[in-house]
Structures are given as C-alpha cells and as structure tokens.
Amino acid sequence: MKFIETRGNDGIHPEQISFSEAILSPIASFGGLYVPDSLPSLGESFLTKHLNSSYKVLAKDLLTTLGIDIEPSVIDEALSLYDKFDDPTNPVPVVKVREDLYVSELYHGPTRAFKDMALQPFGVVLSSIAQKRGDEYLILAATSGDTGPAALETFKNRANVRVVCLYPDGGTSDVQRLQMVTEDAKNLKVIGIKGDFDDAQSALKRLLGSVTFKDALKAKKISLSAANSVNFGRIIFQTIYHIHSYLELVRKNAISMGEKVYLDVPSGNFGNALGGFYAYKMGLPVEKIIIASNENNVLTRLINTGRYDLRGEKVVPTTSPAMDILISSNVERILFDLFGHERTKELMQGLESERFYALSDDETMKLQAMFAADYCNGAEGKGYIKEAFDAGYLMDPHTATCFKAYDCCATKSIKTIVYSTAEWTKFSPTIANALTGEVDSRDIDALESIAASANTPIPDMIKGLFSKPIVQDSVIDKENIENEILKFL
C-alpha cells in the first residue's frame, strides 16, 4: 500500500511513501495530507467470507488485504486491545432503535468514545515502529473532547513515545476534561488553551509543518508525529467498523447481502465519515453517507450549497461539543478523491488565506452524489434524546444529531446505520436536562440521576474520575504552546 499527496508534490517530499512512513510524518507537500494511491476492490465475496467472522478476524484480513507494511505480530497485538472492550466477542454492538434505523455503538472501549476504535490499535502500531527504528517520537494531539482521552490512554507509558494533548479550556464536558487532566504518566502532557478546537488544531498543523520546531526537536533527538485524524493510521482503523456494522445487519436479517444502506455519521473533523467513504470505495453497498452536524453546520452548507465559507464565522459552543469544529481536516481527502490534487490545492489554499472556497455546480453535484447533510440544534437534539429514552434507548447528544439527519435525509425503505460516537456518561448534564428539565447539575449528580432512571450502571472508569487528583493543570494562551511543549520535553 502506497500513499500520495492531496496537494501534489513539492519536489522535496517523496512522491510515494509507505503506510508506516505516512503514520510517522502525516503532513505532506504544501501542508496537504497523505491518501492511498489505490484501494483494493473487496467485492461481495469478501463480505460473504466474513459473515460469521469476529471483529478481530475481519480487521486482520482487511489490513492484510490493504497491504500495510506492519508485521503480523504487531497487528495481532494492536487488535488484541479490542479484547478489553465491554464484550470481547463483539466490541461494536449494533442495536435496532426504529424500524429502519440501527445504531452502531462505537463507545464500548476504555474512554467511552469512538476514538478508542482507532486509537487503541494505533498506539501499539506507532510505538512499535518507533522502537524498531530506535527513534523517540513526540505525538501531538488536538482534541474537541474525545481524541485527547483516547490518545492519552493508548500511549501512556509506551516506549519511545511522548504525547502532548491540546484541548480548548472550557470547550469539553467535565468528564472529558477529567479524563485528560487526571492522567499522571510521565510521558504525557495535557495543555488547556484559551481558545476553541480550531485554534488547537491550527496550532497542531502549524507545528507539524514548522522547520524551526522540528529543528528544536531534532536537537533533542526527537521526531514529530500526530494522533489526530490527519494521520491515516487513524483512518485505516475507522474503515473496519463500517464493514462490521453492515455485516451485523445481514446477520440480523435486517438486510440481504448486497442491499444498500445509509451511513449516518455525526461529523466534526470528518474522519468517521471518511472511513465510511473508503469502505464504500472498496465495495461496501452504500446508498449515501449522511453527515449530521450541530449549530456549527459548515459541513451541511458545504454539501448542500458547495460553499465552504468561514468568513465572519466563530465556533458556537453547543450541547454536542465534540462537533464544535469549523475546519474539518478530512474533507480535503474527499476533495482530492473527487477533483484531484491541483484543484484540492487551490481550494485548500483559498480556505487558508480567504477562509472561503466555492465548488462549481458540477463539483457540487459530484459531492452530493455520495453525501447528504443536515444539522440539529440543541433543543432538537434534546427532543430526540427524550423520545429515544421513552422508547427504551439511552443516547448522547452527538448521536441525537444523526436522528434529525435520518428524519430529513433518509428514504425510509432503505436501512440506516447511525454511528453513536460517545456513551451517555460523557455528557450527562445535557441528557439529564433533556429527560427531566434539570439545569446546572454537576456531572456526578447527573450521572447518578440518569443511572437510576435508566436502571443502568455508571462504568467504573467514569465514576472513578471524580476521586482522582488533577495533575495536568496547564492552561495557557495559544501563542505560548510551542514554548510549553519544549519546556515539557
């Protein structure tokens, strides 16, 4: 498997690189990203072959078919981390909620969010590569709430790896913040910044492309990589659960093999949706990928109008904070797939310099052929949470946005798979408000209230957060990020 660049080659970077090289250095020429040169066609035979396979067997065969340059023993070790999920035999249960709607629950791992699906194995793979090369790596992560805890969990105490995680101070739920600031491994540094997620992500991208920062690291004999979904090491693991979820519907006799489905994804940085897009390109029978947003609905506008317009826009804090993002990095990989590297470079440079680009009518039609989109405001989301709870299903605010998109974008005769990206425990005050109208409840009070109402336990890894000491207390201006990182190192 070889990788090429979304904005073309600058004559300095190699024209093609391997999977392991793309993991270690995720930023390509002109600030672009790496994408597969080609993808295999899996066909119905691959799906049929795995109709009765476990998640790990499916994952191993897909990674082998893709031809990644990682030793089989390392892949086995990485995939073995799924054994630590709630149900080792099925880490991603798929639950019927409405007649034509099924929820794929991606949050049954150690940090109770879908980022565990990719970051748990990714941590093993990257650390293994670093050890094999005898190199020390600094891994940067910027988080809107879920990537950070998952990255810290997978990399803590791993050899040859140090991690710096940037999060927007005040821009995550209390549980998400506690998951980060109570981490005490010596190879981890958590930094709150005075700003929003886009500020954190922009700082990450700037540092990844900064010659002076890399030189400062080189003086310390440290190389640089990232755990965000700009890193294809994340994306490759996010293709697997889309295939698994489809097979679960076949196993449940909800669909027949080869029947098309909708993939309904709550989208922030677009990595989850991109995993579905690559699964479709490899042969998964998909009618369309439905993109659900909150009030930060830049993706809805892009797909429905062909315009990516951030002029005068600021991130709006919402009840689904992991999606409080305006610059969705992985859209660039879709642009490249549809329009090629020259057009992608032109569009992305326009976004970076003018905070705006517009697709042509033909380009917009190409985008709409594969994607549909709608957005859900906080009040609507709480309505869906209450409606689902009364019908016997407990879900978080991000999942709720998908129910609005399902109502607005899906043809009901076609089955829809909604991707639930976080457990209810991560956003309990919002859910408690939706269910009972209570406001300003502390997370622990809301957790206990919901657990009693739903007759469900609070997982130990969540309940235990409230008695752990806070050891990561840095909150700084975004201009001081580089100095803070170098001080940590």
Side-chain angles (χ1 to χ4, degrees), residues 32 58 231:
L58 167 66
N231 195 315

Side-chain angles (χ1 to χ4, degrees), residues 95-97 103-108 381-382 384-400 403 418 420-436 446-459:
V95 179
K96 183 176 181 178
V97 178
V103 176
S104 178
E105 296 180 343
L106 302 175
Y107 53 72
H108 288 276
K382 289 175 186 177
Y384 282 107
I385 290 169
K386 179 71 163 62
E387 178 185 337
F389 184 80
D390 289 345
Y393 190 73
L394 179 57
M395 65 181 177
D396 91 302
H398 303 77
T399 309
F403 279 59
V418 160
S420 185
T421 53
E423 188 180 60
W424 65 272
T425 56
K426 305 290 285 278
F427 306 97
S428 54
T430 295
I431 296 169
N433 177 255
L435 300 183
T436 68
L447 283 164
E448 291 172 349
S449 169
I450 296 164
S453 298
N455 193 27
T456 189
I458 304 169

Side-chain angles (χ1 to χ4, degrees), residues 257-375:
M257 184 66 78
E259 188 176 339
K260 290 186 175 183
V261 298
Y262 290 112
L263 309 182
D264 188 350
V265 184
S267 289
N269 221 15
F270 216 78
N272 199 350
L274 182 69
F277 179 74
Y278 284 139
Y280 156 75
K281 287 199 67 180
M282 289 188 284
L284 192 69
V286 176
E287 177 68 19
K288 274 192 178 182
I289 300 171
I290 300 173
I291 304 302
S293 298
N294 59 23
E295 290 94 330
N296 297 290
N297 60 343
V298 63
L299 293 173
T300 304
R301 285 181 277 138
L302 171 65
I303 291 166
N304 291 337
T305 71
R307 295 166 64 85
Y308 206 123
D309 192 351
L310 303 182
R311 294 172 296 188
E313 294 282 339
K314 289 186 177 180
V315 171
V316 178
T318 73
T319 54
S320 46
M323 297 156 65
D324 291 351
I325 296 170
L326 293 178
I327 302 173
S328 298
S329 293
N330 281 298
V331 171
E332 177 168 348
R333 288 179 162 125
I334 299 293
L335 298 178
F336 171 81
D337 193 272
L338 296 178
F339 313 129
H341 68 83
E342 289 185 5
R343 180 61 168 151
T344 300
K345 181 182 176 185
E346 179 185 7
L347 293 170
M348 293 308 300
Q349 289 183 341
L351 186 64
E352 289 162 4
S353 62
E354 306 294 332
R355 292 178 62 82
F356 170 80
Y357 66 70
L359 305 180
S360 69
D361 289 346
D362 286 346
E363 288 170 340
T364 303
M365 287 176 63
K366 280 187 179 181
L367 186 66
Q368 292 172 348
M370 196 58 231
F371 295 95
D374 206 340
Y375 76 98

Side-chain angles (χ1 to χ4, degrees), residues 33-265:
L33 304 175
Y34 286 106
V35 289
D37 182 29
S38 62
L39 290 168
S41 177
L42 301 177
E44 197 170 301
S45 60
F46 181 90
L47 298 176
T48 301
K49 173 184 176 183
H50 289 291
L51 188 53
N52 297 307
S53 294
S54 68
Y55 192 92
K56 288 195 300 182
V57 169
L58 167 66
K60 178 71 176 289
D61 195 18
L62 179 60
L63 296 173
T64 302
T65 301
L66 288 169
I68 62 174
D69 60 328
I70 305 297
E71 294 90 340
S73 61
V74 174
I75 294 176
D76 289 338
E77 181 188 353
L79 297 178
S80 72
L81 294 180
Y82 292 133
D83 293 339
K84 298 180 180 179
F85 282 49
D86 291 346
D87 180 357
T89 66
N90 185 11
V92 184
V94 178
V95 179
K96 183 176 181 178
V97 178
R98 294 188 188 175
E99 186 56 37
D100 294 315
L101 186 150
Y102 292 75
V103 176
S104 178
E105 296 180 343
L106 302 175
Y107 53 72
H108 288 276
T111 72
R112 319 313 286 175
F114 82 110
K115 301 297 175 70
D116 290 328
M117 295 304 303
L119 278 167
Q120 282 289 296
F122 175 75
V124 172
V125 171
L126 196 148
S127 177
S128 172
I129 297 171
Q131 289 177 67
K132 185 178 178 181
R133 292 181 175 223
D135 293 335
E136 294 287 329
Y137 269 85
L138 169 64
I139 312 300
L140 297 182
T143 187
S144 56
D146 286 332
T147 290
L152 296 168
E153 176 67 25
T154 192
F155 283 116
K156 66 182 180 184
N157 298 317
R158 288 203 181 275
N160 297 64
V161 171
R162 281 176 268 188
V163 178
V164 170
C165 177
L166 309 174
Y167 75 95
D169 182 44
T172 70
S173 76
D174 282 350
V175 165
Q176 290 172 318
R177 181 182 59 82
L178 287 172
Q179 285 179 315
M180 293 184 280
V181 300
T182 58
E183 285 283 12
D184 61 357
K186 293 189 184 301
N187 68 325
L188 307 179
K189 175 68 174 177
V190 178
I191 302 173
I193 65 165
K194 298 171 184 176
D196 55 37
F197 170 76
D198 285 336
D199 293 321
Q201 180 166 249
S202 295
L204 177 143
K205 287 183 176 179
R206 181 182 61 77
L207 291 172
L208 288 174
S210 168
V211 174
T212 56
F213 184 61
K214 288 180 180 177
D215 285 345
L217 295 182
K218 193 179 294 183
K220 299 175 183 292
K221 298 182 179 178
I222 298 173
S223 300
L224 183 63
S225 188
N228 277 53
S229 57
V230 294
N231 195 315
F232 204 87
R234 282 266 308 274
I235 302 300
I236 202 165
F237 288 105
Q238 290 184 269
T239 63
I240 300 164
Y241 53 69
H242 293 287
I243 298 171
H244 162 83
S245 300
Y246 181 89
L247 291 173
E248 281 286 278
L249 262 60
V250 179
R251 293 175 193 128
K252 294 174 183 293
N253 296 314
I255 59 172
S256 56
M257 184 66 78
E259 188 176 339
K260 290 186 175 183
V261 298
Y262 290 112
L263 309 182
D264 188 350
V265 184

